[in-house]
Amino acid sequence: MKNWLQAHPFVVLLLPLIAGILFCNRTGFPFDLQKDTAVPWINTTATFAAVIEDYPVERTNSWRYTAKVYNIYKESQPESTFGRIYLYIGKDSTRALPNIGDCVLFRTKVTRADSIGTFDYGTYLRRQGIAGQAFIRSHWSVIGHTDGGMMLFARRLRHRLIERYCELGISGQELGTLSALTLGYREDLDPDIKRAFQRSGASHILAVSGLHTGIIYMVILALLTCFGRFNPLYEERKRRVAISIIIIIIMAFYAILTGLSPSVCRSVIMLVIVQAAYMFYRRPIALNTIAAAAFIILCLNPNDLFSVSFQLSFAAVLAIIYLEPFFRSLIPIPRTGIMASPLRYVRGLITVSLAAQLGTLPITLYYFHQICNYFLLTNLIVIPLAFAITITALATLTIGWIPSLGIILAPALKWLTWILNQYTAFIESLPGAYSVL
């Protein structure tokens, strides 16, 4: 037992941390987890100055922005404050919409979000760092602009990459799916496609996580070692450290680019820990690596403990580590033969899907009240498709500007994404595809 505790120090730290977060969330002692959104100007009509932090998201009658309030004006005098809000600008406004990085002055009333049925939407937004919401039409003006930091740069880059997809002729449902799968931007997802992914058991494909970061990691490592030709150089210590640092920087930026969701943070932190251990000739321990990722995420934002993405991501990876070997042992495959490798690949898809589904089942039942009955049939196709789409998207965005390659890669990318959408819709249409509980 003593040796186990020494080998898993982050597990020992994580459990008291989770207990402390639950205690604080329940009692508010010694501090409120939502203190960053406990702003004094909620339900107050005032003049605010805020920085637009993201591109607009279209709603039925308005455009929704994420804005960071930095000043409130009382008797014409600005007072520094802080808080993020959802700022809605009505579509009936005749003025040009603000851009990301614009400093906007507006007068309105900021309120908490109302509950939707039994769903406490206001508390949900506060756990996402959103203090409230406000609606404006014409009472606003742009008073400046800021280039912002890394987050604004990453959001501009993500928007530019989505525009690049559009320039290549990708639009509609394919654009929404591709933006979610490769860049973590889900605001353009078609509602019918989103429902099809949920009911067919493929919604994990749309959340950037271990599958996506693993593909990016393999591509980077292959390029840095010239597809394995210079592995002996990689084994040398200096080159090993240099390549590892490059990988860590790129993976960290990819996490920022895709929005820093708990699932992508978990997978990137785990990859960084594994790569750092490899850099110093250490062998990482799976459970300790998972616990370290959870510990870091919860230290940075304790409210992530209540995020469905956080819970599903860690439940899935724990189930894969501890249940997948058992399922694999139930399906023996010959070690040699022409069909050995393809059969092992198919077995891996089946066993990983079974383990992940079983590990996340209690959470999906609690939040979504449904079971996807054909998840095995779904994952046998959508996981290879997601791999192919991610690789093709990387090639399209990096070398697709070459005319002779662009005319091949762009249509192939659109076609693969179309197949993914059609296949999930087909699974959804099958009798008994999902059960509502």
Side-chain angles (χ1 to χ4, degrees), residues 208-222 251 254 264 266-268 271 387 390-391 394:
V208 178
S209 58
L211 173 66
H212 310 75
T213 54
I215 295 171
I216 302 296
Y217 173 81
M218 288 189 296
V219 170
I220 297 171
L221 185 60
M251 296 308 301
Y254 181 68
V264 73
R266 188 269 309 162
S267 57
V268 167
L271 278 175
F387 184 90
T390 304
I391 295 295
L394 282 173

Side-chain angles (χ1 to χ4, degrees), residues 144-198:
H145 185 82
T146 178
D147 291 332
M150 179 63 73
M151 290 300 297
L152 288 187
F153 170 76
R155 287 167 183 165
R156 289 191 182 97
L157 177 59
R158 179 167 67 175
H159 187 72
R160 179 66 190 96
L161 293 177
I162 294 173
E163 288 181 339
R164 179 60 180 155
Y165 285 146
C166 296
E167 293 168 0
L168 292 169
I170 302 172
S171 60
Q173 294 180 339
E174 287 75 32
L175 176 64
T177 302
L178 190 59
S179 299
L181 195 153
T182 59
L183 299 172
Y185 186 77
R186 305 180 64 173
E187 300 296 344
D188 290 338
L189 267 177
D190 184 278
D192 293 334
I193 293 297
K194 186 176 181 179
R195 185 181 64 249
F197 273 83
Q198 290 172 342

Side-chain angles (χ1 to χ4, degrees), residues 92-154:
D92 53 352
S93 174
T94 58
R95 306 179 60 181
L97 293 171
N99 294 314
I100 185 172
D102 282 348
C103 300
V104 179
L105 187 71
F106 57 92
R107 183 171 180 80
T108 188
K109 182 178 182 179
V110 179
T111 60
R112 299 281 188 211
D114 296 328
S115 296
I116 304 174
T118 59
F119 177 55
D120 189 350
Y121 186 52
T123 300
Y124 168 79
L125 287 185
R126 293 186 70 185
R127 286 176 175 163
Q128 310 305 310
I130 305 298
Q133 56 186 9
F135 186 87
I136 57 176
R137 284 190 171 88
S138 57
H139 299 292
W140 61 273
S141 60
V142 176
I143 58 175
H145 185 82
T146 178
D147 291 332
M150 179 63 73
M151 290 300 297
L152 288 187
F153 170 76

